Amino acid sequence: MLIFEHSKSGRRAQAQAPASAGSLSGIPRQFLRKHQPRLPEVSEMQAVRHYTRLSQKNFSIDTQFYPLGSCTMKYNPRACNSLAMLPGLVNRHPLAPDTHSQGFMSAMYELQEILKEVTGMSAVSLAPMAGAQGEFAGIAMIRAYHDARGDTERSEILVPDAAHGTNPASAVMCGYQAREIPTRDDGDVDMDALKAALGPQTAGIMLTNPSTLGVFERRIEEIAQWVHEAGGLLYYDGANLNAILGRVRPGDMGFDVIHMNLHKTFSTPHGGGGPGAGPVGVSQRLQPFLPVPLVTTDGDGYQWLEEQDRPQSIGRLCAFAGNAGILLRAYIYAKMLGDEGMRRVADYSTLNANYMLKKLREAGFDAAYPERRATHEFIITLKKEAKELGVNAMDFAKRLLDYGMHAPTTYFPLLVPECFLIEPTETEARESLDAFIEAMVKIRKEAETDAEQVKGAPYNLPVRRLDDVKAARELDLRWQPDEAS
Amino acid sequence: MLIFEHSKSGRRAQAQAPASAGSLSGIPRQFLRKHQPRLPEVSEMQAVRHYTRLSQKNFSIDTQFYPLGSCTMKYNPRACNSLAMLPGLVNRHPLAPDTHSQGFMSAMYELQEILKEVTGMSAVSLAPMAGAQGEFAGIAMIRAYHDARGDTERSEILVPDAAHGTNPASAVMCGYQAREIPTRDDGDVDMDALKAALGPQTAGIMLTNPSTLGVFERRIEEIAQWVHEAGGLLYYDGANLNAILGRVRPGDMGFDVIHMNLHKTFSTPHGGGGPGAGPVGVSQRLQPFLPVPLVTTDGDGYQWLEEQDRPQSIGRLCAFAGNAGILLRAYIYAKMLGDEGMRRVADYSTLNANYMLKKLREAGFDAAYPERRATHEFIITLKKEAKELGVNAMDFAKRLLDYGMHAPTTYFPLLVPECFLIEPTETEARESLDAFIEAMVKIRKEAETDAEQVKGAPYNLPVRRLDDVKAARELDLRWQPDEAS
Amino acid sequence: MPFIPHTEDETREMLDAIGVSGIDDLFDEIPDNLRCGDLSALGPGLWEQEISQLMQEKARSDGQPLCFIGAGAYDHHIPSAVWQLATRGEFYTAYTPYQAEASQGTLQLLYEYQSMMTELMAMEVSNASLYDGASALAEAVLMAVRANRKSKSRRILMPRSLHPHYRATVHTLVKNQGIELLEVAYEATTGQTDLDDLARHQGEDFAALVIPQPNFFGVLEPVDEMTDFARANGMLAIGLVNPLAMAVLQPPGEWGVKGVDIACGDGQPLGAPLSSGGPYFGFMCCTRKLVRQMPGRIIGRTVDLEGRVGFTLTLQAREQHIRRSKATSNICTNQGLMVTAATIHMSLLGAEGLARAGTKSHANLNLLVEKLTSLGEIEPAFSGPVFHETVLRLPLEARRALRTLAAHNVLGGYDLARHYPELGDNALLVCATENRSEGDMEKYRLKMQQVLASRKQGACATMAKFD
Amino acid sequence: MPFIPHTEDETREMLDAIGVSGIDDLFDEIPDNLRCGDLSALGPGLWEQEISQLMQEKARSDGQPLCFIGAGAYDHHIPSAVWQLATRGEFYTAYTPYQAEASQGTLQLLYEYQSMMTELMAMEVSNASLYDGASALAEAVLMAVRANRKSKSRRILMPRSLHPHYRATVHTLVKNQGIELLEVAYEATTGQTDLDDLARHQGEDFAALVIPQPNFFGVLEPVDEMTDFARANGMLAIGLVNPLAMAVLQPPGEWGVKGVDIACGDGQPLGAPLSSGGPYFGFMCCTRKLVRQMPGRIIGRTVDLEGRVGFTLTLQAREQHIRRSKATSNICTNQGLMVTAATIHMSLLGAEGLARAGTKSHANLNLLVEKLTSLGEIEPAFSGPVFHETVLRLPLEARRALRTLAAHNVLGGYDLARHYPELGDNALLVCATENRSEGDMEKYRLKMQQVLASRKQGACATMAKFD
């Protein structure tokens, strides 16, 4: 039932609005609304009940194992939420004067420092509001760098074919063409193809390392050297930063710019699809181009650096200073982990992934890159099962839901057929991993005896498989008031 | 799965305790614990996941209609929770000096005044921690009153047979005998029996008005007169105060003492079984005996009144000053309602109950007191259904759960066979009431065609009917460590 | 009409369905002369923003002082997760699990709670909570009188070292049943119960002996000796303990040769905020053989029709809604929500976390005492070992010192003068928990130093300018 | 090891299962010379109590000033229920609903959100959110350039009365695609967009005209005329609106003869706390015919295998994870949690509640202006009608007045000098919402009176002593 269907005309059972509101006398009639929008008219209890029950229809980290590859669905500490919502922080106006902002700004400054340390970059801007915006900012800085040197003919950003879809999309948003570089069978970038693609038109390359294939790009130093020699810069997609925290730093690998997904590596909530936060870190040469605002300190207090202080900046990415509440959560998380905790993130997420990979292989599933170590995530291919049993990755995914686990990422990256990209994260106990492996074995067994049963999954959820074709063909994107009658 | 079954020896994945705790060097060995208790060893995520999922197995006001008669399961405004938990309030030490307590004490003083106004009593103590403790305090004051007058031979408290079980139990805790007074077929107290029971041994009478039968005791003034003439006092069980807020006041009916269940009438949360709060109000003559502490004011500020200030007080009922956090919630609720809102509580809870009663009767169900108005609650008897269809009140109750509604109170009061005590409360919309009636009709229809199906209910809940006999005979009251292996 | 969903049309339709012309008619059984309706003294209702502003002002006016008061309510760290989970609607707005099938969440949690408490206390069974520590002790006393088959006595031995509010509460709650509380003295030097005074009652008939651990002074009692004394003299032994302390101290089930019969106390240190004194929760454990005498809800594990494990209220025959005047207690609603919080709290900390919180509290108290005694004029009043609270003797009236400290936003402790006049006016009960940082304690030392200094200069009038 | 559940034994067993001797071995594909490991600059981890104390100190140091700043972020009342529900784990810790069957809670909520936004905007379709208002406007500009079939222009008309940070953000986000923003002037007297200046572009080729309502000065724009101008000149009309204001003002779908093509803005006034500027959320609605050009997630209603209603992500062919370099935008994660809050917020307030919040804000601004202008030296800078924000001209530099007010814990507004030098140094943008009480506004008046008085006396040095 939709909230609109709980609505009753004239119902106002809330304590949420002033009883006497005064009048709109200052506003000429032609500016005023002629009829009220048909929003729900429900009591506070009806709203609470409706949304409480809706929430129960979700899978979430707080209720299920959620090994969604490339999304780093790890535990979101509850303290991060409650402390970021402290009245003094949650009510601070973004344009409050520095006299009333030192507490907040100190946290932002320290977070910049933490992120520098963790990534090995020279400077950080917290402004980007999500990973994709961080990507945009990164490529825009690369462009600004070339432009500032008068090197204006570079038109291409190289992108491995395994990259996240955001990578080429971001390159295009910055006015570049995205040129794909193929991946070798062992999961590393095809160096010959790279060499062939490099040239005076090369503005840079976007890499995720570990890549979305769940393997570490071993020849990263060589790549960096070649790209730099061609006059290009290296962009690091931080989606998989969780895999290397405290083990190896993008700055040390030779990257010039990196974005971080704080909702992944720094455990801010995914919130049903955001908000994220996508700070960017840069090497020395890109510093002048960082998006504003930045926080600096003169030792006495903290100040904002804005457009007028940073004339070469690519500019502003958002109305204020990024997703501050999310940045606070990341700061709190980082402070709770400390140096040792931070390092262990990579260690144990990698341990969990390698353990699962090993156990799944022992159980007869095929690794996409059997010769490689798993990083914090890994890929199995269900090509064999699809062929022999007629049950594909999507069927496995849906059936896993019945077993009370969220499915891994399916059919991404695109180059592995019947692909499961599995990322357990460091916060899962071995019991969860074992339960997943057991469920996979069970599902295969089910498929052996009754493939149709598996193909009909899920059965235990609020709905069964949905008709996506109908959804796209007969667009129904909003409740219509006439349904109310 | 129990939380213990998620435990793993040596797991300490929390940020909840200091890393370095120092030593117990000041404590001689013989005082120290020899081995650790076997509490769960789980990660923060495991605990969050476990208790989130457990919570989902509950029915609650925030998820279901909960017409549990005599329990006043109405909406608990979320503001009451968040405001009572404001840092300055939730962290205040109970023994903080008055200099650091004026905010809290002002709320308590105002709550005392509000409760006086609403009940028509002369003074109020907020100390009792629940309704039953309020009852105890009330009867103890009656006893103190008689004792103070040297009237020490009174030994009986009269209690109608329809009363809550707490009433006779509380009388006994105060050293009285409880003597039952029968109820007439129309639901009122049997006045002849009352007259016969009154005498010099009568310390007082405990009444709920409206009674637990869901009807208003019409001859209350006469009862008050008779009891007072016999030298007894009148105790008002405030369990059903929701029914009369702003309509009639216990003080005006002639009661000498009243307790209120703030988790009912003042909408503090029921919390899976408490905490409640059971303030007591008294008429002039019982004032000296009120339990301590009380809050008073000299106009300049607020002060506590304690034992030394109140020599005739029955004394202290709790370590500090009652369930302060619950009292705050009640205060916030009362302030949000205001005079008009408060009155409407009785109006609309009564409207809802009478509407349901009428509709259920139209649907062929039998009212226990067909000649009477419903108050905020009412009784139907499923005697006919039990006899004709072989499906009793318990079966209806369990089947209602399958329809997504909590069952009414069943088999109470004891004097009505196959009893459903139904209290919808004022916060339910008509849709809920109609859905309940529809479900009742459906269940009866089910019973007509397949009684066994109804008797097997519930089907849609985490468990089906439980073996209560086994539970009581083969007591299993705790997890045993050896289950872990 | 906040929270009342009826539209005017609906109200009309419902009245029509009932067959009355207005809501007033629904109250027509109430005698005319009793009808009221004017609650105008309550004033108009506030919308959420107004009440929010009002409560924020009240909260602000109470400040957030630095607190070194214990005396039965302790400022321990509570993980953020605890109340974020406990206030989930499904826990917060459910009621007593009468319909077990629709309440498995609460019931299983309570079963887990019982399991944890029995572990922590080293006892056999636990109920699902009572109101608070003081009233739980009263219930324990009543239970002991009912349960002690060896004794017909209605007398109870209760150390003077026990929380004075607890003693007062027990008195209120049991006196009308003719139960008498006899005080046992404490030793002036150690602050422990005077075993010689106890020995005076050798061979006398008492229903029970109450044994606090730690006692009100923070001092550890000779619990083994006291328990054995009770057993030897046909008394039930009732342990009254701080549950957090039991993570590091010998638990009541292991005191003496056979442990106590009943263990009870206040669960506040296990996840309940200070909250001006409540809601907290009383806990009670006992030996298996006494279970049918225990008051309060008890949850049992059983199976359903299909053999699946489930949980349910059990032994309800003890309770008031069944037994009415013959019930073990009038208790009904208890403190379910606080127990929910405590269960989550204990799960998050585990035995190790609780032990660390306790150990750190002890270490912090030691540090605080060191700092304060280093001022030269302050010394411990008792020599007995302490947990996280102790009595200091000041060179001035505790009352005066506290007033000045409070003016500097330090709540320096609890003045013992009223309840323990024999200790004089200068005895101060101070507490430190793991929540106090070294900086906090240094602040206390500095402020106390100023108090002492200004006293010497007799310069009370200038105190208000400190900072 | 906070949050990492592995015991030492388990770690050992898992390493054995993998067949390596230690965790280091798992990183053996990383070239030796790249390995780091020293993050010691981060310092040791804090336990929850320590971080809690640290954050409380930071929060305290920022105070809780009385705020009259608007300028794109508005201090409206948010019902307690909103965030208590939105932070339920099932909403808070779920991700983008890729597995629709396991995400019906989030999906249905987003569908409801889309329905509410289309109602509020009087538009045909809505997406499920973008980042914030400024970036949403940039996306709208990009979308207009893609979608405008009548124009090949990459130029956009953008009033100077529009939020300067928004203009800067749009510039950053579109400039690399060769898109140019042309400013339209505002009238110095009314503060509205200068229709004559707009008319200068009659017949020129632009992809779109952006129309703010209210504009950055709080002034209401002649939206009907502007929309019709756009339509008449082959430009798409993009409305940039305050969504709360739309509860009382003519919504963009009804501007002019046919309404706008795209409506967007910042959803912050619908339940997002000020929170230092984020997270908020950008919203975007458009006409049905433009839906396939719209960026961001879109939820559709459909049926499952058994014909039951269900919800799913739809039109994914527009998105980057399918179309990669040909996507409508690189947006991916958006602001789901904020939309969750907004949807609950709108449900709780309803149209009536939102209208009252808006009306009360307007009335409060009028009262504030009345109070401040009554001081005699302050007057409104513009004559155009305003919603809940307006520009005042002070008799002194706004910067100086603000500094003094802030010293008294009043944040008096936003200084326009930097972004609008043509207004001089004395122009102050002030805002009042329904959260400001009459007492709050009186306090502002009093403090401003002191500012003015002290300026006359030239007694700046004594300002710090006010209170």
Side-chain angles (χ1 to χ4, degrees), chain C residues 78 105 202:
Chain C
I78 304 173
Q202 184 93 36

Side-chain angles (χ1 to χ4, degrees), chain A residues 51 221 352 398 476 483, chain D residues 6 33 101 106 111-112 301:
Chain A
Y51 290 108
E221 289 171 294
N352 274 358
K398 297 299 182 192
D476 174 355
E483 296 177 34
Chain D
H6 302 64
N33 58 314
E101 300 86 349
T106 288
Y111 178 87
E112 292 178 357
R301 181 159 59 173

Side-chain angles (χ1 to χ4, degrees), chain D residues 409-428:
Chain D
N409 236 13
V410 173
L411 306 187
Y414 183 73
D415 175 14
L416 293 175
R418 187 170 121 209
H419 290 292
Y420 296 94
E422 68 273 23
L423 295 177
D425 290 332
N426 297 7
L428 180 68

